[in-house]
PDB file of all heavy atoms in Angstrom:
ATOM      1  N   HIS A 287      94.575-126.805 -52.794  1.00  0.00           N
ATOM      2  CA  HIS A 287      94.396-126.317 -54.162  1.00  0.00           C
ATOM      3  C   HIS A 287      95.234-125.003 -54.229  1.00  0.00           C
ATOM      4  O   HIS A 287      95.988-124.775 -55.209  1.00  0.00           O
ATOM      5  CB  HIS A 287      92.982-126.192 -54.507  1.00  0.00           C
ATOM      6  CG  HIS A 287      92.801-125.605 -55.892  1.00  0.00           C
ATOM      7  ND1 HIS A 287      93.009-126.356 -57.075  1.00  0.00           N
ATOM      8  CD2 HIS A 287      92.422-124.395 -56.343  1.00  0.00           C
ATOM      9  CE1 HIS A 287      92.735-125.605 -58.081  1.00  0.00           C
ATOM     10  NE2 HIS A 287      92.398-124.394 -57.684  1.00  0.00           N
ATOM     11  N   GLU A 288      94.979-124.185 -53.288  1.00  0.00           N
ATOM     12  CA  GLU A 288      95.585-122.811 -53.237  1.00  0.00           C
ATOM     13  C   GLU A 288      97.133-122.938 -53.229  1.00  0.00           C
ATOM     14  O   GLU A 288      97.877-122.348 -53.950  1.00  0.00           O
ATOM     15  CB  GLU A 288      95.134-121.973 -52.074  1.00  0.00           C
ATOM     16  CG  GLU A 288      95.291-120.506 -52.195  1.00  0.00           C
ATOM     17  CD  GLU A 288      94.612-119.899 -51.085  1.00  0.00           C
ATOM     18  OE1 GLU A 288      95.155-119.842 -49.956  1.00  0.00           O
ATOM     19  OE2 GLU A 288      93.359-119.426 -51.275  1.00  0.00           O
ATOM     20  N   GLU A 291      98.492-124.020 -56.465  1.00  0.00           N
ATOM     21  CA  GLU A 291      98.418-122.802 -57.394  1.00  0.00           C
ATOM     22  C   GLU A 291      99.620-121.909 -57.133  1.00  0.00           C
ATOM     23  O   GLU A 291     100.270-121.409 -57.995  1.00  0.00           O
ATOM     24  CB  GLU A 291      97.123-122.033 -57.250  1.00  0.00           C
ATOM     25  CG  GLU A 291      96.070-122.426 -58.253  1.00  0.00           C
ATOM     26  CD  GLU A 291      94.984-121.461 -58.195  1.00  0.00           C
ATOM     27  OE1 GLU A 291      95.215-120.264 -58.560  1.00  0.00           O
ATOM     28  OE2 GLU A 291      93.916-121.766 -57.694  1.00  0.00           O
ATOM     29  N   ALA A 317     109.980-102.327 -45.709  1.00  0.00           N
ATOM     30  CA  ALA A 317     111.354-102.779 -45.911  1.00  0.00           C
ATOM     31  C   ALA A 317     111.387-104.246 -46.178  1.00  0.00           C
ATOM     32  O   ALA A 317     112.136-104.726 -47.013  1.00  0.00           O
ATOM     33  CB  ALA A 317     112.162-102.404 -44.681  1.00  0.00           C
ATOM     34  N   GLU A 321     112.763-106.078 -49.545  1.00  0.00           N
ATOM     35  CA  GLU A 321     113.807-107.104 -49.397  1.00  0.00           C
ATOM     36  C   GLU A 321     113.359-108.306 -50.113  1.00  0.00           C
ATOM     37  O   GLU A 321     114.233-108.969 -50.812  1.00  0.00           O
ATOM     38  CB  GLU A 321     114.046-107.408 -47.971  1.00  0.00           C
ATOM     39  CG  GLU A 321     115.297-108.266 -47.673  1.00  0.00           C
ATOM     40  CD  GLU A 321     115.579-108.559 -46.220  1.00  0.00           C
ATOM     41  OE1 GLU A 321     114.956-107.810 -45.436  1.00  0.00           O
ATOM     42  OE2 GLU A 321     116.283-109.479 -45.960  1.00  0.00           O
ATOM     43  N   GLN A 326     114.217-111.825 -54.802  1.00  0.00           N
ATOM     44  CA  GLN A 326     113.690-112.618 -55.971  1.00  0.00           C
ATOM     45  C   GLN A 326     114.278-112.036 -57.253  1.00  0.00           C
ATOM     46  O   GLN A 326     113.828-112.446 -58.407  1.00  0.00           O
ATOM     47  CB  GLN A 326     112.173-112.514 -55.975  1.00  0.00           C
ATOM     48  CG  GLN A 326     111.516-113.241 -54.781  1.00  0.00           C
ATOM     49  CD  GLN A 326     111.295-114.757 -55.113  1.00  0.00           C
ATOM     50  OE1 GLN A 326     111.443-115.190 -56.291  1.00  0.00           O
ATOM     51  NE2 GLN A 326     111.124-115.465 -54.083  1.00  0.00           N
ATOM     52  N   ARG A 335     109.871 -91.399 -46.777  1.00  0.00           N
ATOM     53  CA  ARG A 335     109.945 -90.008 -46.321  1.00  0.00           C
ATOM     54  C   ARG A 335     111.216 -89.691 -45.586  1.00  0.00           C
ATOM     55  O   ARG A 335     111.863 -88.655 -45.767  1.00  0.00           O
ATOM     56  CB  ARG A 335     108.691 -89.728 -45.433  1.00  0.00           C
ATOM     57  CG  ARG A 335     108.709 -88.413 -44.779  1.00  0.00           C
ATOM     58  CD  ARG A 335     107.501 -88.237 -43.912  1.00  0.00           C
ATOM     59  NE  ARG A 335     107.484 -89.179 -42.791  1.00  0.00           N
ATOM     60  CZ  ARG A 335     106.624 -89.146 -41.753  1.00  0.00           C
ATOM     61  NH1 ARG A 335     105.574 -88.257 -41.785  1.00  0.00           N
ATOM     62  NH2 ARG A 335     106.666 -89.886 -40.707  1.00  0.00           N
ATOM     63  N   LYS A 339     116.186 -94.735 -44.100  1.00  0.00           N
ATOM     64  CA  LYS A 339     115.644 -96.042 -43.935  1.00  0.00           C
ATOM     65  C   LYS A 339     115.893 -96.927 -45.242  1.00  0.00           C
ATOM     66  O   LYS A 339     115.724 -98.077 -45.179  1.00  0.00           O
ATOM     67  CB  LYS A 339     114.253 -96.052 -43.610  1.00  0.00           C
ATOM     68  CG  LYS A 339     113.946 -95.554 -42.215  1.00  0.00           C
ATOM     69  CD  LYS A 339     112.577 -95.745 -41.757  1.00  0.00           C
ATOM     70  CE  LYS A 339     112.268 -95.144 -40.410  1.00  0.00           C
ATOM     71  NZ  LYS A 339     110.849 -95.012 -40.037  1.00  0.00           N
ATOM     72  N   THR A 398      90.183 -98.424 -44.024  1.00  0.00           N
ATOM     73  CA  THR A 398      88.854 -98.928 -43.938  1.00  0.00           C
ATOM     74  C   THR A 398      88.173 -99.225 -45.317  1.00  0.00           C
ATOM     75  O   THR A 398      88.722 -98.742 -46.349  1.00  0.00           O
ATOM     76  CB  THR A 398      87.900 -97.743 -43.312  1.00  0.00           C
ATOM     77  OG1 THR A 398      87.882 -96.625 -44.252  1.00  0.00           O
ATOM     78  CG2 THR A 398      88.511 -97.275 -41.995  1.00  0.00           C
ATOM     79  N   GLU A 400      85.740 -97.957 -46.749  1.00  0.00           N
ATOM     80  CA  GLU A 400      85.350 -96.695 -47.455  1.00  0.00           C
ATOM     81  C   GLU A 400      86.628 -96.126 -48.068  1.00  0.00           C
ATOM     82  O   GLU A 400      86.611 -95.575 -49.238  1.00  0.00           O
ATOM     83  CB  GLU A 400      84.733 -95.704 -46.480  1.00  0.00           C
ATOM     84  CG  GLU A 400      84.167 -94.498 -47.124  1.00  0.00           C
ATOM     85  CD  GLU A 400      83.596 -93.483 -46.135  1.00  0.00           C
ATOM     86  OE1 GLU A 400      83.890 -93.700 -44.905  1.00  0.00           O
ATOM     87  OE2 GLU A 400      82.935 -92.623 -46.511  1.00  0.00           O
ATOM     88  N   ALA A 405      90.070 -94.872 -52.826  1.00  0.00           N
ATOM     89  CA  ALA A 405      91.389 -94.956 -53.477  1.00  0.00           C
ATOM     90  C   ALA A 405      91.267 -95.345 -54.881  1.00  0.00           C
ATOM     91  O   ALA A 405      92.029 -94.844 -55.679  1.00  0.00           O
ATOM     92  CB  ALA A 405      92.263 -95.892 -52.721  1.00  0.00           C
ATOM     93  N   GLY A 407      88.872 -94.437 -57.042  1.00  0.00           N
ATOM     94  CA  GLY A 407      88.645 -93.249 -57.850  1.00  0.00           C
ATOM     95  C   GLY A 407      89.784 -92.310 -57.935  1.00  0.00           C
ATOM     96  O   GLY A 407      90.132 -91.768 -59.006  1.00  0.00           O
ATOM     97  N   ARG A 412      93.881 -90.642 -62.052  1.00  0.00           N
ATOM     98  CA  ARG A 412      95.290 -90.380 -62.535  1.00  0.00           C
ATOM     99  C   ARG A 412      95.789 -91.423 -63.557  1.00  0.00           C
ATOM    100  O   ARG A 412      96.971 -91.465 -63.742  1.00  0.00           O
ATOM    101  CB  ARG A 412      96.237 -90.375 -61.228  1.00  0.00           C
ATOM    102  CG  ARG A 412      95.947 -89.164 -60.455  1.00  0.00           C
ATOM    103  CD  ARG A 412      96.440 -89.203 -58.950  1.00  0.00           C
ATOM    104  NE  ARG A 412      96.232 -87.910 -58.270  1.00  0.00           N
ATOM    105  CZ  ARG A 412      94.964 -87.509 -57.756  1.00  0.00           C
ATOM    106  NH1 ARG A 412      93.916 -88.308 -57.867  1.00  0.00           N
ATOM    107  NH2 ARG A 412      94.906 -86.421 -57.174  1.00  0.00           N
ATOM    108  N   LEU A 417      94.975-101.973 -56.956  1.00  0.00           N
ATOM    109  CA  LEU A 417      94.643-103.138 -56.214  1.00  0.00           C
ATOM    110  C   LEU A 417      94.833-102.834 -54.729  1.00  0.00           C
ATOM    111  O   LEU A 417      95.763-102.115 -54.387  1.00  0.00           O
ATOM    112  CB  LEU A 417      95.583-104.334 -56.555  1.00  0.00           C
ATOM    113  CG  LEU A 417      95.465-104.989 -57.927  1.00  0.00           C
ATOM    114  CD1 LEU A 417      96.558-106.076 -58.077  1.00  0.00           C
ATOM    115  CD2 LEU A 417      94.083-105.655 -58.091  1.00  0.00           C
ATOM    116  N   MET A 422      98.564-110.352 -43.984  1.00  0.00           N
ATOM    117  CA  MET A 422      98.012-111.035 -42.792  1.00  0.00           C
ATOM    118  C   MET A 422      99.072-111.789 -41.938  1.00  0.00           C
ATOM    119  O   MET A 422      98.712-112.701 -41.263  1.00  0.00           O
ATOM    120  CB  MET A 422      96.866-111.978 -43.240  1.00  0.00           C
ATOM    121  CG  MET A 422      95.799-111.319 -44.021  1.00  0.00           C
ATOM    122  SD  MET A 422      95.103-109.872 -43.269  1.00  0.00           S
ATOM    123  CE  MET A 422      94.610-110.463 -41.658  1.00  0.00           C
ATOM    124  N   VAL A 423     100.335-111.408 -42.223  1.00  0.00           N
ATOM    125  CA  VAL A 423     101.403-112.137 -41.479  1.00  0.00           C
ATOM    126  C   VAL A 423     102.372-111.109 -40.941  1.00  0.00           C
ATOM    127  O   VAL A 423     102.455-110.072 -41.345  1.00  0.00           O
ATOM    128  CB  VAL A 423     102.106-113.144 -42.458  1.00  0.00           C
ATOM    129  CG1 VAL A 423     101.344-114.265 -42.894  1.00  0.00           C
ATOM    130  CG2 VAL A 423     102.737-112.363 -43.686  1.00  0.00           C
ATOM    131  N   LYS A 434     100.157-115.325 -45.874  1.00  0.00           N
ATOM    132  CA  LYS A 434      98.895-114.977 -46.445  1.00  0.00           C
ATOM    133  C   LYS A 434      98.795-113.466 -46.791  1.00  0.00           C
ATOM    134  O   LYS A 434      98.919-112.628 -45.849  1.00  0.00           O
ATOM    135  CB  LYS A 434      97.968-115.237 -45.277  1.00  0.00           C
ATOM    136  CG  LYS A 434      96.561-115.832 -45.435  1.00  0.00           C
ATOM    137  CD  LYS A 434      96.234-116.630 -46.582  1.00  0.00           C
ATOM    138  CE  LYS A 434      95.206-117.702 -46.473  1.00  0.00           C
ATOM    139  NZ  LYS A 434      95.354-118.640 -47.502  1.00  0.00           N
ATOM    140  N   LEU A 451     103.608-110.200 -57.686  1.00  0.00           N
ATOM    141  CA  LEU A 451     103.098-110.112 -56.359  1.00  0.00           C
ATOM    142  C   LEU A 451     103.518-111.315 -55.453  1.00  0.00           C
ATOM    143  O   LEU A 451     103.721-111.230 -54.265  1.00  0.00           O
ATOM    144  CB  LEU A 451     101.613-109.983 -56.342  1.00  0.00           C
ATOM    145  CG  LEU A 451     100.932-108.728 -57.010  1.00  0.00           C
ATOM    146  CD1 LEU A 451      99.580-108.794 -57.076  1.00  0.00           C
ATOM    147  CD2 LEU A 451     101.477-107.480 -56.297  1.00  0.00           C
ATOM    148  N   HIS A 487      92.145-114.957 -20.955  1.00  0.00           N
ATOM    149  CA  HIS A 487      91.154-115.003 -19.786  1.00  0.00           C
ATOM    150  C   HIS A 487      91.130-116.385 -19.149  1.00  0.00           C
ATOM    151  O   HIS A 487      91.286-116.609 -17.876  1.00  0.00           O
ATOM    152  CB  HIS A 487      89.751-114.685 -20.188  1.00  0.00           C
ATOM    153  CG  HIS A 487      88.767-114.800 -19.083  1.00  0.00           C
ATOM    154  ND1 HIS A 487      88.508-113.752 -18.155  1.00  0.00           N
ATOM    155  CD2 HIS A 487      88.116-115.851 -18.562  1.00  0.00           C
ATOM    156  CE1 HIS A 487      87.652-114.194 -17.222  1.00  0.00           C
ATOM    157  NE2 HIS A 487      87.398-115.480 -17.495  1.00  0.00           N
ATOM    158  N   ALA A 489      93.605-118.630 -19.336  1.00  0.00           N
ATOM    159  CA  ALA A 489      94.884-118.832 -18.725  1.00  0.00           C
ATOM    160  C   ALA A 489      94.934-118.204 -17.335  1.00  0.00           C
ATOM    161  O   ALA A 489      95.507-118.803 -16.327  1.00  0.00           O
ATOM    162  CB  ALA A 489      96.000-118.363 -19.631  1.00  0.00           C
ATOM    163  N   LEU A 505      97.603-128.124 -23.214  1.00  0.00           N
ATOM    164  CA  LEU A 505      96.374-128.821 -23.373  1.00  0.00           C
ATOM    165  C   LEU A 505      95.416-128.039 -24.251  1.00  0.00           C
ATOM    166  O   LEU A 505      94.772-128.519 -25.182  1.00  0.00           O
ATOM    167  CB  LEU A 505      95.688-129.033 -21.984  1.00  0.00           C
ATOM    168  CG  LEU A 505      94.395-129.884 -22.030  1.00  0.00           C
ATOM    169  CD1 LEU A 505      94.349-130.766 -20.698  1.00  0.00           C
ATOM    170  CD2 LEU A 505      93.185-129.054 -22.083  1.00  0.00           C
ATOM    171  N   ASP A 508      95.789-127.927 -28.335  1.00  0.00           N
ATOM    172  CA  ASP A 508      95.288-129.196 -29.049  1.00  0.00           C
ATOM    173  C   ASP A 508      93.798-129.215 -28.937  1.00  0.00           C
ATOM    174  O   ASP A 508      93.138-129.732 -29.890  1.00  0.00           O
ATOM    175  CB  ASP A 508      95.994-130.433 -28.403  1.00  0.00           C
ATOM    176  CG  ASP A 508      97.419-130.585 -28.873  1.00  0.00           C
ATOM    177  OD1 ASP A 508      97.791-129.959 -29.876  1.00  0.00           O
ATOM    178  OD2 ASP A 508      98.124-131.319 -28.234  1.00  0.00           O
ATOM    179  N   ASN A 516      87.150-125.587 -34.690  1.00  0.00           N
ATOM    180  CA  ASN A 516      87.099-125.744 -36.180  1.00  0.00           C
ATOM    181  C   ASN A 516      85.925-126.657 -36.551  1.00  0.00           C
ATOM    182  O   ASN A 516      85.223-126.371 -37.458  1.00  0.00           O
ATOM    183  CB  ASN A 516      88.451-126.304 -36.573  1.00  0.00           C
ATOM    184  CG  ASN A 516      89.535-125.281 -36.528  1.00  0.00           C
ATOM    185  OD1 ASN A 516      89.248-124.032 -36.352  1.00  0.00           O
ATOM    186  ND2 ASN A 516      90.767-125.710 -36.697  1.00  0.00           N
ATOM    187  N   ASP A 527      74.645-119.501 -42.897  1.00  0.00           N
ATOM    188  CA  ASP A 527      74.286-118.945 -44.209  1.00  0.00           C
ATOM    189  C   ASP A 527      72.811-119.105 -44.567  1.00  0.00           C
ATOM    190  O   ASP A 527      72.112-118.363 -45.255  1.00  0.00           O
ATOM    191  CB  ASP A 527      75.053-119.618 -45.257  1.00  0.00           C
ATOM    192  CG  ASP A 527      76.547-119.130 -45.339  1.00  0.00           C
ATOM    193  OD1 ASP A 527      76.735-117.951 -44.825  1.00  0.00           O
ATOM    194  OD2 ASP A 527      77.483-119.866 -45.787  1.00  0.00           O
ATOM    195  N   THR A 543      73.993-121.391 -19.611  1.00  0.00           N
ATOM    196  CA  THR A 543      74.310-121.966 -18.354  1.00  0.00           C
ATOM    197  C   THR A 543      75.797-122.155 -18.214  1.00  0.00           C
ATOM    198  O   THR A 543      76.438-121.812 -17.216  1.00  0.00           O
ATOM    199  CB  THR A 543      73.604-123.301 -18.056  1.00  0.00           C
ATOM    200  OG1 THR A 543      72.196-123.088 -18.383  1.00  0.00           O
ATOM    201  CG2 THR A 543      73.837-123.849 -16.685  1.00  0.00           C
ATOM    202  N   ASP A 546      77.492-118.862 -17.798  1.00  0.00           N
ATOM    203  CA  ASP A 546      77.212-118.327 -16.447  1.00  0.00           C
ATOM    204  C   ASP A 546      78.256-119.011 -15.465  1.00  0.00           C
ATOM    205  O   ASP A 546      78.752-118.266 -14.597  1.00  0.00           O
ATOM    206  CB  ASP A 546      75.849-118.647 -16.078  1.00  0.00           C
ATOM    207  CG  ASP A 546      75.283-117.624 -15.073  1.00  0.00           C
ATOM    208  OD1 ASP A 546      75.773-116.507 -15.054  1.00  0.00           O
ATOM    209  OD2 ASP A 546      74.437-118.088 -14.268  1.00  0.00           O
ATOM    210  N   ASP A 560      85.031-109.014 -16.991  1.00  0.00           N
ATOM    211  CA  ASP A 560      84.481-108.320 -18.066  1.00  0.00           C
ATOM    212  C   ASP A 560      84.218-109.217 -19.327  1.00  0.00           C
ATOM    213  O   ASP A 560      83.254-109.133 -20.001  1.00  0.00           O
ATOM    214  CB  ASP A 560      85.294-107.177 -18.429  1.00  0.00           C
ATOM    215  CG  ASP A 560      85.075-105.875 -17.661  1.00  0.00           C
ATOM    216  OD1 ASP A 560      84.253-105.936 -16.728  1.00  0.00           O
ATOM    217  OD2 ASP A 560      85.691-104.830 -17.921  1.00  0.00           O
ATOM    218  N   TYR A 582      74.228-122.800 -30.795  1.00  0.00           N
ATOM    219  CA  TYR A 582      74.999-121.615 -30.519  1.00  0.00           C
ATOM    220  C   TYR A 582      75.244-120.729 -31.718  1.00  0.00           C
ATOM    221  O   TYR A 582      75.450-119.581 -31.604  1.00  0.00           O
ATOM    222  CB  TYR A 582      76.285-122.037 -29.863  1.00  0.00           C
ATOM    223  CG  TYR A 582      77.026-120.817 -29.254  1.00  0.00           C
ATOM    224  CD1 TYR A 582      76.590-120.310 -28.018  1.00  0.00           C
ATOM    225  CD2 TYR A 582      78.070-120.203 -29.928  1.00  0.00           C
ATOM    226  CE1 TYR A 582      77.219-119.216 -27.444  1.00  0.00           C
ATOM    227  CE2 TYR A 582      78.639-119.010 -29.374  1.00  0.00           C
ATOM    228  CZ  TYR A 582      78.271-118.628 -28.147  1.00  0.00           C
ATOM    229  OH  TYR A 582      78.855-117.464 -27.552  1.00  0.00           O
TER     230      TYR A 582
END
Side-chain angles (χ1 to χ4, degrees):
H287 178 71
E288 202 173 81
E291 266 192 69
E321 190 180 343
Q326 294 278 341
R335 177 181 65 174
K339 289 191 186 169
T398 64
E400 189 183 12
R412 287 159 178 80
L417 290 174
M422 303 310 303
V423 292
K434 216 30 150 197
L451 296 174
H487 177 89
L505 187 144
D508 283 343
N516 288 349
D527 287 334
T543 304
D546 207 29
D560 276 2
Y582 192 78

